[in-house]
Amino acid sequence: MNFKTLKLLISLIGIFSILLVGCSNDLQNTELSIVVEKRIGDENNYEDFREVTDNEQVQKLKEILKDANWINAKAEMVTPPDYRFAFRFKNPNIEAKAVLYELWITPNIDKVVLIGGNQYVKLDIDKSAELFKIVTGEELTDQ
């Protein structure tokens, strides 16, 4: 094998590897959706509200949750959450323990409070509006 052939073969392997990694990341990212439930009345009763399947929105919500300043604490709220949501794999053959996120709208209707597992966070106005829009498809200020 001459030097040019070897160089071409190494280049093709490199390109193939880059494509394979890029495609596998896309596949991994598109496997998730967000399932949202909305509280009915004042009790702890919920109904299916919507499912977010748009990959950009799913990734944006994951980013907001990852960047939030979570507090490790067992928080208890006076009322049941206004909404609940969880990430779900689109492929039913993939099993994973999902974290249920509970969402409350603050009395001023400008922020949201989240509890996920044993963590608690109150998002700022901008992140609250962005998260609420992804989760519900509605504007927070319209509540």
Side-chain angles (χ1 to χ4, degrees):
M1 194 182 286
N2 67 29
F3 181 73
K4 284 186 176 184
T5 307
L6 183 61
K7 189 176 174 182
L8 179 64
L9 183 61
I10 291 172
S11 297
L12 288 175
I13 290 172
I15 291 170
F16 179 75
S17 298
I18 291 169
L19 288 173
L20 185 62
V21 169
C23 291
S24 67
N25 284 342
D26 288 343
L27 179 62
Q28 184 180 17
N29 290 342
T30 59
E31 290 178 351
L32 289 176
S33 66
I34 304 164
V35 179
V36 183
E37 296 177 328
K38 183 176 183 176
R39 188 180 77 220
I40 306 300
D42 294 331
E43 300 300 315
N44 201 8
N45 298 319
Y46 293 84
E47 70 178 7
D48 290 341
F49 181 66
R50 73 187 296 238
E51 183 172 2
V52 180
T53 58
D54 179 82
N55 188 47
E56 280 186 36
Q57 289 186 324
V58 171
Q59 294 307 314
K60 185 62 183 170
L61 181 61
K62 283 176 63 177
E63 183 180 312
I64 291 169
L65 294 174
K66 183 178 121 278
D67 294 343
N69 293 320
W70 292 92
I71 298 168
N72 289 321
K74 182 79 174 160
E76 292 188 27
M77 305 297 274
V78 176
T79 62
D82 299 303
Y83 295 89
R84 302 187 304 197
F85 66 92
F87 294 94
R88 180 174 72 185
F89 284 101
K90 293 179 185 178
N91 182 344
N93 296 325
I94 299 175
E95 292 185 29
K97 186 177 180 182
V99 174
L100 179 66
Y101 292 93
E102 298 174 311
L103 182 152
W104 286 263
I105 301 169
T106 59
N108 290 340
I109 312 173
D110 61 347
K111 297 179 183 174
V112 298
V113 172
L114 295 170
I115 293 178
N118 288 327
Q119 294 185 314
Y120 161 91
V121 68
K122 185 177 193 177
L123 296 176
D124 65 31
I125 291 173
D126 293 334
K127 291 297 180 189
S128 291
E130 192 174 5
L131 180 136
F132 192 81
K133 177 72 173 175
I134 293 169
V135 170
T136 68
E138 301 169 358
E139 299 294 332
L140 182 58
T141 55
D142 292 343
Q143 301 307 302

